[in-house]
Amino acid sequence: MNVAMNPAPAAARRSPIHDALEARGAEWRDVNGTTFAVRLRDEPAGDDIPAAALCDLSGLNQLGVKGPDAANWLSTAGVDVPADLYESRPLPSGGRVVRFGAHEFFLEDGIAGSKASELSEQLGFGAEQVYRVEHQDATFLLTGPRSLDVMAQTCGIDFREANGGRAIFTRVAGVSCALLPETIADQQAFRLWLDPSYAPYLWEELVVIVESLGGHVVGAGRLFPDLPA
Amino acid sequence: MDRRLPPREGEWIDRSQPVEFRFEGQSLAGFAGDVLSSALWAHDVRLQGRSFKYHRPRGLYSLAGHDANVIVEDGRRTNMRGDLLPITDGLDVYSVNTSGGLQRDRWRIMERFDRFLPVGFYYKAFHTPRWLFPHYENQMRQVAGLGRVHPGNAAVETPKDYAFCDLLVVGAGPAGLAGAIAAAEQGLKVLLVDEQPHPGGSLNWQWSGNPAAQEQFGGMLEQVRAHDNIELRCGTQAAGAYNDYWIALVDDRRLTKLRAKAMLVATGCFEQPAVFQNNDLPGVMLASAAQRLLQLYAVKPFDRAVVVAANSDGYRAALDLHGAGVEIAAIADLRHDGEPTGLAQNAADAGIEILAGCAIAEAVPSGGKARIQAAAVCPLEKDGSLRTGSLRRIECDGIAMSVGWSPNVGLAYQAGGRFRYAEHVAQLVPSSLPDGLFVSGRANGRFELHDQIADGRRAGLCAAAHLGRFDGNLPDSPQHQASPPSHPYPIFSNNGKKNFVDLDEDLHLADFKNAHQEGYDNIELVKRFTTVGMGPSQGKLSNSNAIRILARLNGASINETGTTTSRPFYQPVRISHLAGRRFHPQRRTPLDGWHRQHGAEMMHAGAWMRPEFYTTSGSTRDECILAEAKNVREHVGLIDVGTLGKILVCGPDAARFLEHIYTGRFEKQKVGRLRYGVACDETGVIIEDGVIARLAEDRFYVSATSSGAAVFYREMQRWALIFGMKVTLINATGHLAAMNLAGPKSREVLAGLTDADLSPDAFPYVGVKEATVAGARAIVMRVGFVGELGYEIHVPASQGWHVWTSLMEAGRPHNIRPFGVEAQRLLRLEKGHLIVGQDTDALTHPFEADVAWAIGKDKPFFIGSRSLDIVKQQSLDRKLVGLSFPAHRSGPLPQECCLIIHEGEIVGRITSIAPASTLGHPIAMAFLRPDLANVGAKVTIRTTDGRTADAEVAAMPFYDPDGARQK
């Protein structure tokens, strides 16, 4: 039996690090049905990106699909399907789709855009040879001039040679993560996706390292000033 | 007395930053940039430490980080070397290994007993009677040793870093600088490291009086600093080389794990001491140490000195000292032909007496041996022995030794390089190097400055060619043309006296002769018997001479004698650096914060944190657990089971796949129903259990144990490949929150929050539905793990908090309470449900665990079926049974794993026990020998304190055997 896939009200969804953000005086805002900490109490003034900036974007809608017909199903739904393993492509209206396996894809909406959530409703619990993969990943965004130094203290991969737009599966501070190098406001950035049960642990570790390098935890509003209301 | 000189070009001290520190309780001053030894010497504090065994006075010796007898501690940090430790304001240090202070060390009496302490004395003296050995050991540990460890100190957290480069250049001296520039010019990303706080290596102290060399140095340094492809890290030691150029870099702050594509070792040489009587006393030092003291720290090493030389470097040192106002009483040149270069004339022009073919027979100590007052110079016979009848006493307060060098190539050895002894330089040079490893400069036997630079450039280009960035002609390596920079045997016997070979371990020449007489004629055996090279400096100043001594005793060549093995680390590394920042990933359910806010006592469950129980003011732990359990029995409880494994098995072959994985049947399982499943390995041992819910014809939802889920999922993936079935596996464990609403009121609590029909007919026991709960899409299962009407609700992790709090709110009128892991364990024990991993072990099969009913009849195959077919034919050795304890009893209760004893033999063990239960008496589950397992039989269990407890075999389940309450 399939039930209606209307997600629970946005207020019902919580980031896996909600408590940690709340303790930092998070100012919450609902955006496109999801909730973000847009600003934190101790954020430095101004709009500049600090030496290293760590931001929680776990409120973004996600969808995983897996199965022999997954690529075809996505393509039919208007998604530019990545041809190569670990390659990512933008979703129409924001967000991205990443090929995690031969028959497995991961979609995440951007701050703007709702393709992943639309497809999630459309898929329900699955279709013929297309199965829903429950993705409640924590999404952390790390950026700033010293973001490479943060990665160097937590992960044994040389990210200077990493290609933007290709996901890397690795361990960060001992936690299995999918990691996507990207650029935000001309700054090197890393998007980390991880099992939400590890999120509080990894967040705490990253915060310690980021702050030791002169960086800060920031709200989504600093990295995405045009965050829609 | 202040020995500080006026400012010198290139000095490392910052005279604008005076520093006050304390040494052995005495307040002193120095400058930023000073190390402890230089700052002490500037105050003419020559006694800076005591030796390991004899507690002899020791002072500054190498000033290169290898002075293993000048070791201090500050109450928090220990075993810090005086020639490495920067002084800072407030530094307050004491010498290690003394009793009563450095000056009045009571243990200095040990030297009087030296005749009773020959090499290996402790192997021979203290093994009988055995009962006295602890006493001997204790005494020896007090007399000999290094600093004290303070285990109470707080842990220091240091970063652990990763880094990458094309070429690691170790050593920023002339060869290293040239190599780094040459490689970087070809496009290589170069990391250039040097253990010293400033780059330049010997250019800083050995060539400081040479304007052309300094100009060349300045030019290279400018190029290095300006080049985008070069990262320069000073104060960084390459501590060890591991496979594939994985190099441990250690600086003051952290350990960096470097992955390089190639490595250039340009680490130079360690200057080696001469061996003569009292060559260890303060005032006797390597010529390079005197030059370092002079050039880097602007401290006058001596007032009047004798230089013992066997190479051009000794003459340079003598001239440097002379230029700084040190009176050079003589140069004792070990070579009968003297110095062949113009340096000899320079020395003569400076009025320095040159004594060719002479050695120093003895450093003559002053009272207390904390200084020297003269050198006894002695002509050498042609065979190198001392002509002791012609001793000449020369008054001096210092002896500088410049008799040879030993290449600093431990890192190259560790990376797979091999070396041979080359007569033309009288040192080891590379004989073979693996791909990607390069050696240059003095470490490669090139001593002239222009040769070092040329050789460094050659090595840099070779590295570029190796990495495919250079295809031009590679220059030849310049060959050393001058006389050998090292004397082949700078060791002068003075029978029975203190001719020290290894200052770390207080080994003198006679110790080697004695060892050899006892049959230790192999270098590795000599090392272990004498402990040469096993002290803190790891033989950097002693191995070379030890090999020479053994070679001569054996009548063999250096190459025939061989060398000892070089192992990491280059210098001692702080434990805090090795530990680094500790990463211990921990999993938390989406409800973790709620549990903590509501008084949960959290416990580790594998990688997870789970609420053990919820504290209640005024109640003990056991009372809290029992109260939670009773509330489930009488009202309704809610437990977070988000740690359970949650695996979706999809595809046309899903049912058939599960029939292979589990012992049971699933092909005919109805959609909307769940079944209990047991999974075994190929040997028939139970590895997992859980419920298998059929959500659709081609879609199953499987639960697994919290600690076993990840491994089980990987096993499923492996078998899916082996079986080649059309099945898609999805591990949703961390992505779904899960909670079990259990108790007679659970239906009423849930009813108002879901769109599912909860009536018993529509949603019976072992039913499963996909529904909404509190607005969240959910999988809801009717399970009975705790033996009550219950619903296991799985929802997206991000909505777990909302659903949980909604249930708690809805349950308030029904006395809902959260319950923790311990209450759940009790309730399931009452119900007789086993926990895989607790009530089973690595040998338990379904027949022993009394779950053979879960094996599908006439199944052609499942994993472990063949083994179970065999096991089934055999009689059982043990059986899982229930045990009941009297409600009113005295004496201790057994704990899990306590043994069941029958007629003096072990016949079983407790697997689970509940000291209190809702039944009013303790109960347990246990493995028991089958012939003793009849219901009502009495058993005796040995408790942890050695007493016994009696119990009775009971039928399981203990509670609600008909299962009426969960339906």
Side-chain angles (χ1 to χ4, degrees), chain A residues 7-9 11-14, chain B residues 590-591 594 638-639 736-741 749-750 752-754 771-780 791-811 816:
Chain A
R13 295 184 60 200
R14 282 168 63 102
Chain B
L591 305 165
W594 191 95
L638 188 62
I639 181 170
L736 292 172
M739 53 210 84
N740 186 10
L741 182 70
V749 173
L750 183 59
L753 292 172
T754 181
T772 59
V773 175
R777 56 189 162 78
I779 295 171
V780 185
Y791 300 88
E792 201 165 282
I793 302 159
H794 295 222
V795 297
S798 63
Q799 291 162 303
W801 182 288
H802 168 73
V803 174
W804 174 278
T805 51
S806 298
L807 286 166
M808 289 301 293
E809 184 60 29
I816 194 168

Side-chain angles (χ1 to χ4, degrees), chain B residues 149-324:
Chain B
V149 174
H150 301 277
N153 288 343
V156 177
E157 196 158 79
T158 64
K160 199 180 283 182
D161 227 359
Y162 297 90
F164 306 87
C165 67
D166 293 326
L167 177 67
L168 170 69
V169 180
V170 187
L177 290 169
I181 293 166
E185 284 173 346
Q186 302 306 318
L188 265 58
K189 293 286 183 190
V190 177
L191 179 58
L192 174 60
V193 300
D194 197 290
E195 62 180 315
Q196 296 296 332
H198 301 275
S202 60
L203 284 163
N204 288 299
W205 48 267
Q206 197 176 30
W207 304 94
S208 54
N210 183 327
Q214 290 307 303
E215 188 180 341
Q216 207 163 7
F217 175 28
M220 287 196 292
L221 204 53
E222 201 173 308
Q223 277 183 276
V224 163
R225 289 190 164 133
H227 212 299
D228 288 342
N229 283 350
I230 302 176
E231 181 188 350
L232 172 63
R233 289 192 191 181
C234 290
T236 300
Q237 61 152 314
Y242 302 86
N243 286 351
D244 302 322
Y245 300 114
W246 190 108
I247 313 294
L249 300 180
V250 176
D251 58 35
D252 187 51
R253 203 168 56 85
R254 64 190 163 171
L255 184 149
T256 299
K257 300 173 177 180
L258 173 76
R259 178 72 71 187
K261 293 175 183 168
M263 177 165 69
L264 168 53
V265 175
T267 40
C269 287
F270 308 120
E271 186 157 41
Q272 298 296 298
V275 176
F276 54 85
Q277 170 73 1
N278 290 331
N279 63 340
D280 62 324
L281 296 182
V284 180
M285 67 177 72
L286 301 173
S288 55
Q291 287 174 295
R292 284 185 166 99
L293 197 54
L294 184 67
Q295 307 291 5
L296 308 181
Y297 307 104
V299 174
K300 190 177 177 184
F302 325 107
D303 293 320
R304 191 166 198 267
V306 171
V307 176
V308 55
N311 51 32
S312 304
D313 301 320
Y315 284 76
R316 286 192 197 97
L319 290 166
D320 284 351
L321 292 169
H322 172 77

